[in-house]
């Protein structure tokens, strides 16, 4: 069971929390295939350098053909990260990244294996109720036999994840509920019947002491 506020990165109920993301954990984010049209469309919109968008110039260069924008490649990583981890985890925002490296050219048709490794985890000092998780993300080009050939992307970043909600045990709640015996006056002897008669209560009233000033 989770509370209504324990939502994953895509808004669904979360099943993974800060406590589950322990150092040493590796999460497989699947394999993505680079689509030629999408790769070029991204470059034309966001990174229109000639080796990303001009096939003739790229073919005549040392690149030997079009290569993907590095920001397109990291976008593929981000989508895999959302689909395979953040969609299940109680993820909040990210405070940032420390490293982003493009280690080899990426081309249309490449098949890239994606994963993240948990490097560290600690309660957040800036955001109570959250933990800060340090992660390394990698993408590796696969060969025809599905074995990794070359690392093409590496990134180190941090993410905030909610701690697991603590829910009250129904049995404990029942045990803690007050009973008649817990009520004030329960099992106490009957009051003095004379207490209801003003003529028998207390001592003569005196004037209240004069105040020496306003209260502290």
């Amino acid at each position: 069971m989770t509370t209504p506020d324990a939502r994953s990165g895509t808004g669904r109920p979360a099943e993974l929390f800060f406590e589950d993301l322990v150092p040493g954990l590796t999460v497989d984010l699947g394999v993505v295939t680079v689509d030629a049209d999408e790769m070029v469309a991204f470059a034309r919109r966001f990174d229109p350098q000639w080796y990303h968008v001009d096939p003739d110039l790229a073919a005549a260069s040392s690149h030997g053909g079009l290569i993907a924008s590095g920001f397109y490649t990291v976008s593929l990583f981000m989508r895999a990260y959302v689909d395979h981890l953040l969609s299940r985890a109680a993820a909040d925002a990210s405070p940032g990244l420390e490293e982003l490296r493009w280690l080899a050219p990426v081309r249309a048709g490449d098949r890239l294996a994606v994963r993240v490794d948990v490097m560290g985890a600690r309660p957040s000092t800036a955001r109570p109720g959250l933990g800060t998780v340090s992660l390394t993300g990698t993408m590796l080009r696969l060969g025809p036999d599905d074995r990794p050939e070359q690392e093409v992307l590496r990134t180190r970043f941090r993410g905030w994840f909610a701690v697991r909600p603590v829910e009250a045990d129904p049995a404990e709640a029942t045990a803690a509920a007050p009973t008649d015996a817990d009520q004030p006056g329960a099992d106490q002897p009957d009051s003095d019947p004379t207490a209801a008669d003003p003529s028998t209560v207390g001592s003569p009233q005196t004037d209240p002491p004069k105040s020496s000033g306003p209260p502290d």
Side-chain angles (χ1 to χ4, degrees):
M1 290 289 293
T2 61
T3 66
D5 292 332
R7 298 291 178 185
S8 75
T10 55
R12 294 181 293 184
E15 60 186 71
L16 296 175
F17 294 86
F18 167 71
E19 294 84 353
D20 301 308
L21 301 173
V22 296
L25 176 69
T26 295
V27 182
D28 182 358
L29 304 183
V31 176
V32 298
T33 300
V34 179
D35 180 84
D37 292 338
E38 183 181 70
M39 181 185 86
V40 174
F42 180 98
R44 286 175 176 160
R45 176 66 177 86
F46 298 106
D47 189 3
Q49 299 183 77
W50 60 266
Y51 41 82
H52 298 324
V53 298
D54 191 317
D56 295 330
L57 288 179
S61 75
S62 60
H63 298 296
L66 290 176
I67 60 174
S69 165
F71 290 100
Y72 172 70
T73 305
V74 77
S75 295
L76 294 178
F77 169 83
M78 189 67 207
R79 181 57 192 257
Y81 180 47
V82 172
D83 285 349
H84 296 280
L85 180 57
L86 298 187
S87 62
R88 302 166 53 211
D92 203 273
S94 169
L97 58 84
E98 289 77 40
E99 178 184 28
L100 176 58
R101 299 188 65 193
W102 298 296
L103 302 170
V106 170
R107 304 176 189 276
D110 280 352
R111 298 174 64 249
L112 307 176
V114 192
R115 76 167 193 256
V116 292
D117 295 280
V118 178
M119 310 305 293
R122 58 180 175 77
S124 173
T125 56
R127 301 283 301 276
L130 300 178
T132 301
V133 179
S134 299
L135 302 139
T136 295
T138 56
M139 302 182 81
L140 298 101
R141 181 185 295 109
L142 299 179
D145 57 359
D146 285 342
R147 292 185 179 182
E149 286 188 340
Q150 188 175 21
E151 187 176 8
V152 301
L153 178 142
R154 184 186 310 135
T155 180
R156 290 188 299 110
F157 61 101
R158 290 172 291 153
W160 279 320
F161 295 85
V163 300
R164 178 172 279 103
V166 178
E167 296 188 353
D169 187 332
E172 293 180 358
T174 301
T179 64
D180 290 344
D182 298 324
Q183 302 303 317
D187 297 328
Q188 298 298 318
D190 293 338
S191 301
D192 184 349
T194 62
D197 184 353
S199 64
T200 64
V201 176
S203 57
Q205 299 295 311
T206 61
D207 293 333
K210 294 182 179 179
S211 174
S212 59
D216 292 336

